[in-house]
């Protein structure tokens, strides 16, 4: 069996047993990237020499008995939104052209400390605003299952590299679905942990009260192992949780007998939901019942307001976070003569840099957010958004008083065609219908594969659990995986 067909943990086991070195594994994936990346445009930056150097370090540290993670020596792809010292980090934006951060994100540092080997940076929608990886300055990424389709977004590259076997594991970020939706479109697992479970230090901020780093992988065991490396308190992120980190692998084998699973009525009966995805949720329901879980119907009554709420809260926070890009502090600068209306040459430079450096969607969000926060409109938009956010979070709380986990769809449709929604922002926003709730409520949420539809495109379902109940989420998903629910394989072995 070829290395890219192994799980990350199996690769780690073989490295630890001395059957293969981290250097050999890393070289194998670098070679696959060289051969296959051009067709999907999923990696936007690779530095083979650096990756091989880190792999050799891992081999040395393993030999010295310094590494204990079962993922030691295993390569991993990193979304272009996480800072690594000296490594280009551009968030898919012209605005960060040539920017190499002077420090490393805590999440990435934890991977390095565990002896994992970054393979490179993966493509994304500009500043993580989008659901199709079509707004990147590096061009669109493609779905390995069908090259005419999107891999999803914004962490499209992170999901595509897994489906194409160009990396065994990856990390992305999820503000309103950006780990789960690409995972769903590419037939892999993607976890958005509880808000605050993984440090946001060094994660370029989009909407700070919603952003969360999350792993993508082929199996639940790999997700659990990667979360183990990433999770934990970080004094550098004031919103990071101090709660103890449990042993995520420990609960995977536990039977589901007696567990209550709530099927979200407003999601499964939504008019926009594809029939094949509805059937996948039903199949999940039947399988969970067969495994001893009790299935009940639950309501998230404010579902219909979730997209509107998210698209007030997220752009409002983004408009503040993105004010730091002024042509002075980072990357891109556009100079020129002060145009009419500019108060000073400095104002003109800032305005030109932002006009040219940001893409259309990012500017749309900045304007939306600035409007929602402006005096006179604040109460009607931002404040109202915050109030409805509370109602949505309360819906989750009420649901979790009745059940242990929630089951539903991740997306209304399977992967759509490139270009299909890029000219209509509202159509694109509506795709986030089932994912934004978990971010607004701060709860952990997991996308798992559910086989293929009649077009051969990946199907997926979503599991959600109360705050910090990742072990329960992973336990349920793992039992489903064991019972054959995922039916996955690599998308395209010809890459
Ligand atoms: N598609 C959503 C948006 O465009 C979510 C993005 C994300 O999670 N980063 O805002």
């Amino acid at each position: 069996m070829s290395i890219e067909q192994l799980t990350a943990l199996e690769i780690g086991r073989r490295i630890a047993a001395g059957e293969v070195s981290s250097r050999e594994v890393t070289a194998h994936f670098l070679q696959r990237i060289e051969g296959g990346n051009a067709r999907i445009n999923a990696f936007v930056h690779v530095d083979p020499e650096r990756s091989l150097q880190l792999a050799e370090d891992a081999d040395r540290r393993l030999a010295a008995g310094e590494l204990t993670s079962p993922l030691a020596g295993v390569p991993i792809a990193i979304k272009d939104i996480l800072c690594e010292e000296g490594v280009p980090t551009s968030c898919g934006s012209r605005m960060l052209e040539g920017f190499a951060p002077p420090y490393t994100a805590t999440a990435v540092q934890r991977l390095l400390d565990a002896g994992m080997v970054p393979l490179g940076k993966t493509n994304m929608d500009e500043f993580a605003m989008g659901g199709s990886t079509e707004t990147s300055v590096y061009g669109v990424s493609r779905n390995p299952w069908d090259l005419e389709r999107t891999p999803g977004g914004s962490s499209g590259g992170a999901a595509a590299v897994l489906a194409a076997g160009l990396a065994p594991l990856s990390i992305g970020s999820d503000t309103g679905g950006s780990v789960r939706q690409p995972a769903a479109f590419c037939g892999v697992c993607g976890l958005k942990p509880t808000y605050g479970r993984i440090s946001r230090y060094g994660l370029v901020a989009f909407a700070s009260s919603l952003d969360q780093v999350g792993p993508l992988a082929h199996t639940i065991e790999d997700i659990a192992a990667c979360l183990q490396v990433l999770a934990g308190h970080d004094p550098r992120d004031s919103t990071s949780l101090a709660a103890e980190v449990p042993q995520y692998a420990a609960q995977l084998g536990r039977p589901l007998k007696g567990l209550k699973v709530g099927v979200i009525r407003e999601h499964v009966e939504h008019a926009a939901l594809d029939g094949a995805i509805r059937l996948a949720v039903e199949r999940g329901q039947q399988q969970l019942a067969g495994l001893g879980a009790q299935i009940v119907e639950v309501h998230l009554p404010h579902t219909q307001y979730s997209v509107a709420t998210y698209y007030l809260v997220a752009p409002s926070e983004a408009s503040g976070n993105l004010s730091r890009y002024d042509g002075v502090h980072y990357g891109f600068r556009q100079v020129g003569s002060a145009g009419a209306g500019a108060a000073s040459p400095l104002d003109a430079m800032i305005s030109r840099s932002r006009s040219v450096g940001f893409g259309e969607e990012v500017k749309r969000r900045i304007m939306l957010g600035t409007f929602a926060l402006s005096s006179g409109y604040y109460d009607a938009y931002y404040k109202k958004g915050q109030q409805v956010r509370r109602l949505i979070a309360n819906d989750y709380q009420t649901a979790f008083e009745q059940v242990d986990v929630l089951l539903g769809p991740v997306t209304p449709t399977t992967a759509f065609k490139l270009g299909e929604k890029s000219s209509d922002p509202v159509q694109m926003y509506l795709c986030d219908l089932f994912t934004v709730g978990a971010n607004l409520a701060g709860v952990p949420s997991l996308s798992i594969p559910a086989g293929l539809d009649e077009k051969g495109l990946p199907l997926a379902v979503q599991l959600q659990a109360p705050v910090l109940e990742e072990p329960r989420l992973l336990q349920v998903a793992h039992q489903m995986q064991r019972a054959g629910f995922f039916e996955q394989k690599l998308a395209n072995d010809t890459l």
Side-chain angles (χ1 to χ4, degrees), residues 79 128-131 153-154 173-178 206 310-311 365 432:
K79 185 178 181 180
M129 297 170 184
S154 63
S173 65
D174 190 311
T175 305
S178 277
F206 165 9
Y310 171 83
Y311 280 94
R365 305 273 181 125
D432 303 332

Side-chain angles (χ1 to χ4, degrees), residues 1-15 19-21 25 28-29 32 71 74-75 161-162 165-169 217-219 222 488-490 493:
M1 192 183 256
S2 193
I3 293 176
E4 72 278 0
Q5 284 162 321
L6 303 174
T7 67
L9 279 170
E10 177 58 19
I11 294 173
R13 192 196 64 72
R14 292 186 188 193
I15 294 173
E19 292 167 30
V20 65
S21 67
V25 170
H28 175 83
F29 281 106
R32 283 192 62 85
L71 292 176
V74 176
V161 298
L162 292 187
L166 306 188
L169 261 184
H218 287 291
T219 67
D222 285 357
Q488 0 115 288
K489 49 183 188 290
L490 289 183
D493 215 28

Side-chain angles (χ1 to χ4, degrees), residues 13-149:
R13 192 196 64 72
R14 292 186 188 193
I15 294 173
E19 292 167 30
V20 65
S21 67
S22 173
R23 191 187 200 284
E24 285 164 328
V25 170
T26 304
H28 175 83
F29 281 106
L30 288 169
Q31 202 181 349
R32 283 192 62 85
I33 294 168
E34 203 179 311
N37 189 52
R39 292 177 67 187
I40 56 172
N41 193 34
F43 274 105
V44 295
H45 176 78
V46 273
D47 180 349
E49 241 170 74
R50 172 174 179 263
S51 295
L52 290 171
Q53 183 63 53
L54 287 168
E56 279 170 25
D57 291 349
D59 284 328
R60 198 169 322 113
R61 288 159 74 200
L62 269 162
E66 289 166 23
L67 298 175
T68 54
S69 167
L71 292 176
V74 176
I76 185 162
I78 296 173
K79 185 178 181 180
D80 196 30
I81 195 170
L82 283 146
C83 292
E84 285 182 84
E85 188 184 341
V87 177
T89 299
S90 58
C91 286
S93 182
R94 189 167 183 196
M95 192 51 116
L96 285 175
E97 200 174 83
F99 175 65
Y103 67 101
T104 297
T106 299
V108 177
Q109 191 58 50
R110 282 176 169 272
L111 301 175
L112 293 169
D113 291 347
M116 297 181 72
V117 179
L119 277 176
K121 307 300 283 280
T122 58
N123 205 9
M124 55 184 281
D125 281 297
E126 186 178 3
F127 284 106
M129 297 170 184
S132 61
T133 315
E134 290 176 290
T135 66
S136 168
V137 70
Y138 298 107
V140 306
S141 289
R142 293 174 182 274
N143 191 320
W145 292 92
D146 177 346
L147 297 175
E148 295 306 308
R149 290 177 190 269

Side-chain angles (χ1 to χ4, degrees), residues 189-224:
C189 306
L191 172 70
K192 182 206 85 76
T194 303
Y195 180 75
R197 181 73 293 188
I198 299 175
S199 169
R200 290 185 297 110
Y201 178 76
L203 168 72
V204 177
F206 165 9
S208 308
S209 77
L210 303 163
D211 295 343
Q212 190 52 200
V213 174
L216 296 95
H218 287 291
T219 67
I220 295 302
E221 292 93 330
D222 285 357
I223 293 276

Side-chain angles (χ1 to χ4, degrees), residues 205-206 234 331 404 478:
F206 165 9
D234 179 11
D404 301 299
H478 184 244

